[in-house]
Amino acid sequence: MNKLLLFFITGILLSVQIHAQRHIMSFNDGWQFLPNDSMQFAQPGDWQNIHIPHTWNLDAYVTKNYKRGRCWYRKSFTIPRSFRNKTIYLRFDAINSYAEIYLNGMLIGNHSGGYSAFNILLPSGQLKDHNTIMILVDNRNINIPPLSGDFTIFGGIYRNTWMIILENQHFTLDNYGSPGIFISSTVVNNQTATLHIKGSVTNKQKIPLTIQLQIKNNSKNILSKYIRLQSQDFQIGNLLIQNPELWSPESPHLYEAQFLLLRKKKIVDQINISFGLRWFSADTKNGFMLNGKPLKLMGTNRHQDKAPYGIAVPVSVHWEDMQLIKNMGANFVRLAHYQQDDEVLKACDRLGLIVWEEIPVVDIIGDNKIFSGNAKNMLTEMIRQHYNHPSVMFWGFMNEAILQVPARIAKDQQSAFYKKTVALANELEILLKKEDNSRLSTMACAGSTLYNDIGLSNITDVVGWNLYQGWYGGALQDFEKFADEQHKRYPDKPIIISEFGAGSDIRLHSHFSEMFDFSIEYQQKFLEHYLPQIIERPYIIGAAEWNFIDFNVASRQESMPRTNNKGLTYNNRTTKDIYYYFQSFLRKDTSMVRITTRDGELKNAVSDNDSTFFPIKVYSNQPQIQININGKWLEKKNTNNFFAEWNAIVHKGENKIEAITSGGLGKVAKDTCSIEINFTPFESLHTSLNKWDIAINVGSNCDYFDKTNNTTWNADKQYTAGSWGYVDGTIFRKSPDRIGTTAEIMGTIQTPLFQTAREDLTTYRIDAPPGKYDIELGFADLNNPPSKLMNEATDKNISAREQNMFDLYINDSLCLHQFSPFLISGSNCAIIKKIEYINNGNYISISFKKINGKTFLNCLRIIKK
Ligand code: GCB
């Protein structure tokens, strides 16, 4: 929708009189919000003054049980007398998820679906000088897609609202929230493009009207046309544009079409629409072709939330995100899993990002006509609202649509349910093609051949696969195996890897990273494996990493509860180091270099000297890199897969690093940074330090950085004489291929520290000279079902096995007798025991004597005072 205020008179318009304009005014201010639906009991003070965009779900940042329910919004407004004979609409850019709109107490419309815009006519008979609009908003999603999904359903009027005042003859606003005019083009070569336009006007009085169309290129008129309207619908065909300037990611050229609606010679309405000229196709031999040239689609997925706004973000966030994605070198973005603000599409048009947009039929379909009706309505809205954006080349309509079937549908009904899912997919595909056969249809399937077996993966022009081999299970190499098998099975079906990604937490770092440890390093390892595999395979026409940002999922636990941390940026949009791998991989236009040690303010090394070897990695798109550490140049290294690594000598404390590129065609690129390295004593017995502090992330391969206490918790290690470490026991694994648990840990914000543990251990030993020590022991029983609440801890029915119980000794003193963290505070709840200890010998041995179940320890800190 073109939110232009038409106060401008271009030269050509001088021959016509301006009679009236379409007024589009922000309607965001002066709202009140009632956080429940009991309006009849509401006291005046219950209504909160708010500004739109608004969501009531900032609770999703702190609890998985965020509010899903019904709330009211209201606003009073006046309509000047001079506007009372006009047509007035309210436009809502999105309300999540269902809205009922009342004007002066009368229901005037409703809308289902939280991600599309809609217009509501204010009936002139109901309008007074002073009016009240009331909106009941419901985010329970009853029969509204998505029924489930890995993102928070933030309720509220979370995108902008507008009042639109029109003459009674105007380009129609009653067309699924669309601009009412659709521009398509046939372009098959660089010489000519043909435009086809269709649209409709609202003209109840059937007054003779004319449309004046002007096509502009760089503000110059290149084509003008008058069309006398015969009916409310109009079509303008075969408009030729010679030597079109094509739209592409490198050169996202836009034309503008200006539509004036004339009553006699008076302008009664105007719409300006930007459009682009390009053609594209996809097949497994050539891949994706844009304007006759192959173009591998490389990019990312984009969710829309940003703390502290939830999804009620200012429009600038949309532009900022798209600009960051573009700067990363991407040419492709999947707007997952729902239609996004028109500003996102505008940004993609202007910046040159090819778009896959989709509707939120995610995880499972609803088994009734209301659900499928809503899905169809959303698809129509999406296509019509965003039809004119040249950046859009793919429409999607399902994501992992059978994922929840095993969990939610009885076994004997599952195959019937699969059939219904396929039937709905076929209906959506037919509708999509009827609405727009110039775009490619697509859907995203999860990495299972069930999607093939039930016939879902073969419906759309292009199939998307969300693949996480090496994260949720399997090995990294299983990714290419799966993709190749798919290609073998359907040799003519182009594939997009619609998702691939791994989580990372700025607090976790590992020199021995492994699957599902949430270390910054494993996310890098994962993506450094996937990108080259994707590039090598022509049948994979494109790929979108999951996800551009760390995004809010109230129900997610893992290392950062409430967050899916697979972002290339943190939620505040600070880039992670991995962003620069993409940038190095994708950007060919300029030299890039980035020292990848920015994530985490502190680093850690275990050493008794003042300097030690430490891995330094640099991302770059240039063939050679040289680095300088603390003033000393190290040997040049060739990059391989866009990075080079050194095992460099670093000092305790601050280290200055510089990296420069050499070779290649581009200019020399340079990067500098400082990293702070904390040294933990290795020889705890013989260290020259009088006072020391050894904090250990027991049972983990990761260093954990606690910014709140400025503490570095070391990855665990085996005991050797004179040093510290575990003597026996095993790493706790909730499932065999994942370290630790992903369950939320209560009673701490140091979640990762307690999500890993060593169990079945008898001894943890620290060789340490005589003296005074503070010993801190951290426990969380990870063995019991996470659903157990704290108050269930005393439940007498808990089996003996569940009651992990042990005595704990420090050297020969019994410190914790019949100790069962589970019986004290339930499962997955942090307990810290602090003990002051005077050591008279040369070691501190923490020994565990099992009483029931298993012995365990999650973290340990020893401070020599
Ligand atoms: C998927 C889903 C997406 C999730 C993602 C994940 O396959 O499509 O919604 O967020 O996996 O991170 O698990």
Side-chain angles (χ1 to χ4, degrees):
M1 158 107 188
N2 213 314
K3 291 165 193 129
L4 271 193
L5 293 178
L6 307 181
F7 291 111
F8 304 107
I9 309 172
T10 58
I12 197 89
L13 292 183
L14 292 178
S15 60
V16 294
Q17 283 172 268
I18 297 208
H19 177 250
Q21 304 132 13
R22 177 183 281 226
H23 290 266
I24 304 175
M25 295 176 294
S26 168
F27 202 61
N28 284 345
D29 50 12
W31 286 85
Q32 290 192 310
F33 170 70
L34 181 69
N36 57 58
D37 60 358
S38 315
M39 205 173 11
Q40 64 277 33
F41 304 115
Q43 301 299 311
D46 295 343
W47 287 90
Q48 305 159 9
N49 292 330
I50 57 115
H51 195 273
I52 280 168
H54 176 261
T55 174
W56 65 73
N57 281 125
L58 299 186
D59 56 349
Y61 288 109
V62 288
T63 171
K64 63 178 176 220
N65 301 315
Y66 68 103
K67 182 182 169 82
R68 304 282 299 263
R70 304 193 322 157
C71 298
W72 281 101
Y73 288 85
R74 75 178 179 196
K75 170 181 163 93
S76 302
F77 62 99
T78 51
I79 297 282
R81 294 245 149 179
S82 55
F83 286 166
R84 292 282 285 281
N85 58 349
K86 314 241 174 201
T87 303
I88 305 181
Y89 280 87
L90 292 184
R91 178 174 177 82
F92 299 93
D93 285 351
I95 298 183
N96 215 8
S97 303
Y98 171 75
E100 265 170 23
I101 295 97
Y102 296 82
L103 175 66
N104 299 325
M106 198 183 100
L107 179 66
I108 56 165
N110 64 11
H111 184 261
S112 294
Y115 304 97
S116 48
F118 60 98
N119 302 324
I120 297 277
L121 177 71
L122 298 184
S124 55
Q126 294 299 317
L127 279 172
K128 303 176 191 158
D129 287 349
H130 298 281
N131 303 280
T132 305
I133 194 91
M134 303 206 56
I135 305 184
L136 179 67
V137 181
D138 186 346
N139 69 337
R140 291 171 303 166
N141 285 41
I142 300 169
N143 294 321
I144 298 177
L147 297 186
S148 85
D150 188 33
F151 52 105
T152 301
I153 307 296
F154 287 91
I157 307 180
Y158 76 95
R159 288 187 194 154
N160 287 325
T161 58
W162 309 91
M163 177 177 272
I164 306 174
I165 300 167
L166 302 142
E167 289 299 294
N168 293 330
Q169 294 78 39
H170 52 262
F171 293 109
T172 191
L173 265 79
D174 293 328
N175 191 346
Y176 291 86
S178 73
I181 297 177
F182 306 95
I183 305 175
S184 59
S185 57
T186 326
V187 200
V188 281
N189 57 43
N190 294 321
Q191 278 88 53
T192 329
T194 316
L195 292 187
H196 317 278
I197 295 170
K198 59 183 188 179
S200 54
V201 294
T202 301
N203 179 14
K204 291 214 176 89
Q205 296 82 358
K206 301 212 163 47
I207 289 170
L209 297 171
T210 309
I211 292 175
Q212 183 188 335
L213 163 66
Q214 285 173 11
I215 307 285
K216 297 175 192 222
N217 188 13
N218 299 324
S219 312
K220 272 199 222 112
N221 255 342
I222 54 163
L223 209 151
S224 300
K225 206 166 168 102
Y226 278 89
I227 304 103
R228 207 170 288 282
L229 286 180
Q230 310 295 336
S231 68
Q232 306 221 4
D233 294 335
F234 62 89
Q235 296 219 18
I236 313 168
N238 299 321
L239 297 171
L240 289 189
I241 297 185
Q242 302 295 349
N243 304 318
E245 288 187 58
L246 300 178
W247 186 98
S248 70
E250 309 85 69
S251 170
H253 188 78
L254 294 176
Y255 288 81
E256 190 170 53
Q258 176 187 278
F259 296 86
L260 300 181
L261 187 63
L262 306 175
R263 189 171 69 207
K264 299 212 174 120
K265 283 193 166 177
K266 291 172 185 160
I267 301 174
V268 289
D269 196 11
Q270 177 175 352
I271 290 188
N272 289 19
I273 294 175
S274 295
F275 65 95
L277 301 171
R278 78 285 183 267
W279 77 98
F280 56 90
S281 60
D283 64 65
T284 50
K285 276 205 198 85
N286 304 303
F288 186 78
M289 302 280 289
L290 179 68
N291 302 329
K293 291 186 216 133
L295 181 71
K296 191 97 169 184
L297 300 171
M298 296 298 283
T300 183
N301 283 270
R302 195 258 180 171
H303 263 302
Q304 62 182 353
D305 62 285
K306 182 175 184 182
Y309 309 106
I311 57 172
V313 293
V315 156
S316 56
V317 171
H318 302 312
W319 282 87
E320 184 194 354
D321 283 1
M322 294 306 124
Q323 186 67 63
L324 271 171
I325 293 173
K326 179 73 184 180
N327 290 351
M328 190 174 81
N331 55 20
F332 178 52
V333 60
R334 174 175 174 232
L335 303 181
H337 292 305
Y338 39 77
Q339 312 94 292
Q340 300 199 5
D341 197 303
D342 200 53
E343 293 291 327
V344 174
L345 282 298
K346 272 190 198 157
C348 292
D349 289 349
R350 301 259 158 88
L351 297 170
L353 287 166
I354 292 171
V355 170
W356 157 334
E357 192 174 27
E358 65 192 27
I359 56 166
V361 179
V362 175
D363 282 4
I364 190 160
I365 66 156
D367 187 10
N368 61 52
K369 288 229 154 59
I370 307 176
F371 179 92
S372 48
N374 281 333
K376 285 177 197 163
N377 201 52
M378 284 175 184
L379 186 62
T380 311
E381 285 178 329
M382 173 176 75
I383 295 176
R384 295 196 189 181
Q385 289 178 19
H386 294 158
Y387 188 91
N388 294 324
H389 290 287
S391 53
V392 179
M393 303 197 192
F394 299 87
W395 298 125
F397 55 77
M398 276 182 180
N399 179 71
E400 304 188 346
I402 53 172
L403 191 76
Q404 292 282 330
V405 173
R408 296 197 177 192
I409 307 293
K411 258 220 146 83
D412 58 340
Q413 326 255 310
Q414 286 177 4
S415 77
F417 202 88
Y418 291 139
K419 276 201 190 115
K420 284 181 196 161
T421 308
V422 172
L424 178 60
N426 278 314
E427 286 175 41
L428 291 171
E429 172 73 11
I430 290 167
L431 175 63
L432 184 154
K433 290 293 174 187
K434 194 180 117 231
E435 284 292 322
D436 183 4
N437 65 10
S438 72
R439 262 78 176 213
L440 295 163
S441 64
T442 190
M443 74 163 71
C445 304
S448 139
T449 49
L450 187 58
Y451 288 81
N452 305 133
D453 302 341
I454 65 169
L456 200 56
S457 61
N458 212 14
I459 292 173
T460 51
D461 297 327
V462 172
V463 62
W465 286 103
N466 299 345
L467 299 180
Y468 290 92
Q469 288 86 351
W471 181 249
Y472 288 120
L476 289 169
Q477 293 70 18
D478 294 336
F479 160 66
E480 51 269 25
K481 266 195 219 148
F482 184 90
D484 290 346
E485 275 160 21
Q486 282 299 321
H487 179 50
K488 229 169 147 190
R489 197 162 173 169
Y490 303 103
D492 297 326
K493 180 69 73 185
I495 289 178
I496 289 184
I497 307 303
S498 33
E499 290 179 26
F500 59 104
S504 72
D505 183 327
I506 195 168
R507 299 167 299 176
L508 292 167
H509 286 266
S510 180
H511 302 309
F512 311 98
S513 64
E514 65 170 79
M515 188 171 102
F516 229 80
D517 64 9
F518 293 93
S519 68
I520 291 289
E521 289 72 18
Y522 188 77
Q523 185 190 33
Q524 295 180 2
K525 204 184 260 180
F526 179 99
L527 293 168
E528 286 162 11
H529 177 82
Y530 272 64
L531 286 196
Q533 296 298 329
I534 289 165
I535 285 288
E536 261 174 32
R537 293 171 164 73
Y539 68 83
I540 299 182
I541 66 161
E545 181 274 346
W546 188 261
N547 190 278
F548 186 58
I549 59 165
D550 281 1
F551 59 96
N552 181 279
V553 189
S555 58
R556 230 175 221 266
Q557 305 194 19
E558 302 180 337
S559 77
M560 294 159 62
R562 325 270 88 82
T563 303
N564 183 322
N565 56 15
K566 298 190 185 73
L568 301 178
T569 75
Y570 298 97
N571 186 259
N572 67 6
R573 281 28 174 196
T574 307
T575 46
K576 296 185 187 177
D577 287 343
I578 187 64
Y579 173 93
Y580 299 93
Y581 173 61
F582 276 73
Q583 198 172 52
S584 301
F585 199 100
L586 297 174
R587 284 194 63 170
K588 309 278 176 253
D589 57 326
T590 180
S591 308
M592 309 294 322
V593 67
R594 178 80 175 187
I595 303 157
T596 69
T597 40
R598 306 298 211 282
D599 287 325
E601 288 91 29
L602 266 179
K603 301 277 152 189
N604 187 49
V606 179
S607 170
D608 298 309
N609 304 322
D610 287 337
S611 58
T612 188
F613 284 103
F614 195 85
I616 303 285
K617 179 158 114 184
V618 176
Y619 284 134
S620 175
N621 59 359
Q622 297 302 301
Q624 280 192 328
I625 308 291
Q626 195 168 13
I627 60 168
N628 180 310
I629 300 199
N630 299 321
K632 214 177 134 205
W633 286 101
L634 270 58
E635 92 236 56
K636 261 187 200 164
K637 287 215 170 181
N638 292 340
T639 50
N640 182 11
N641 189 16
F642 304 93
F643 63 87
E645 280 177 299
W646 289 258
N647 204 13
I649 292 179
V650 294
H651 307 313
K652 200 179 269 186
E654 201 193 349
N655 290 270
K656 290 210 160 82
I657 310 179
E658 183 182 343
I660 59 165
T661 60
S662 70
L665 296 173
K667 279 202 311 218
V668 170
K670 187 171 154 181
D671 186 29
T672 52
C673 77
S674 253
I675 56 167
E676 174 89 15
I677 303 186
N678 175 61
F679 278 46
T680 299
F682 178 81
E683 284 271 341
S684 40
L685 181 60
H686 300 300
T687 174
S688 56
L689 300 171
N690 287 331
K691 295 178 174 187
W692 45 256
D693 178 352
I694 301 178
I696 308 155
N697 187 7
V698 178
S700 174
N701 60 327
C702 291
D703 291 334
Y704 170 77
F705 297 94
D706 171 10
K707 208 174 154 192
T708 49
N709 296 311
N710 215 21
T711 307
T712 319
W713 297 80
N714 291 266
D716 206 0
K717 71 176 188 69
Q718 191 164 17
Y719 166 79
T720 50
S723 184
W724 49 269
Y726 59 84
V727 173
D728 53 11
T730 53
I731 287 178
F732 168 83
R733 289 177 186 273
K734 189 90 191 175
S735 61
D737 53 0
R738 292 185 192 177
I739 189 161
T741 178
T742 49
E744 192 166 351
I745 308 293
M746 310 310 284
T748 182
I749 53 166
Q750 317 293 7
T751 310
L753 199 53
F754 291 90
Q755 282 178 325
T756 45
R758 201 156 182 91
E759 59 181 13
D760 280 330
L761 74 173
T762 65
T763 313
Y764 205 100
R765 177 163 165 152
I766 302 94
D767 286 351
K772 266 177 133 185
Y773 290 85
D774 278 345
I775 301 177
E776 243 176 73
L777 298 149
F779 303 93
D781 192 328
L782 310 176
N783 279 293
N784 292 297
S787 59
K788 287 248 179 342
L789 297 173
M790 288 182 37
N791 59 8
E792 288 174 38
T794 48
D795 187 339
K796 296 285 171 294
N797 296 326
I798 293 164
S799 74
R801 194 208 64 78
E802 283 176 317
Q803 294 179 36
N804 290 329
M805 186 185 281
F806 45 89
D807 287 338
L808 185 142
Y809 294 79
I810 296 191
N811 290 341
D812 292 329
S813 327
L814 176 62
C815 291
L816 300 171
H817 179 50
Q818 295 187 349
F819 182 59
S820 166
F822 177 74
L823 286 182
I824 297 168
S825 58
S827 59
N828 301 328
C829 185
I831 293 181
I832 294 175
K833 293 281 181 192
K834 290 193 181 177
I835 296 156
E836 284 189 14
Y837 184 73
I838 298 175
N839 185 26
N840 295 317
N842 278 333
Y843 63 90
I844 299 172
S845 170
I846 302 169
S847 45
F848 298 75
K849 298 232 159 59
K850 181 175 96 174
I851 299 170
N852 263 339
K854 294 180 171 194
T855 60
F856 62 91
L857 179 64
N858 302 63
C859 53
L860 169 66
R861 186 173 181 183
I862 306 223
I863 301 170
K864 180 168 187 310
K865 296 200 276 194

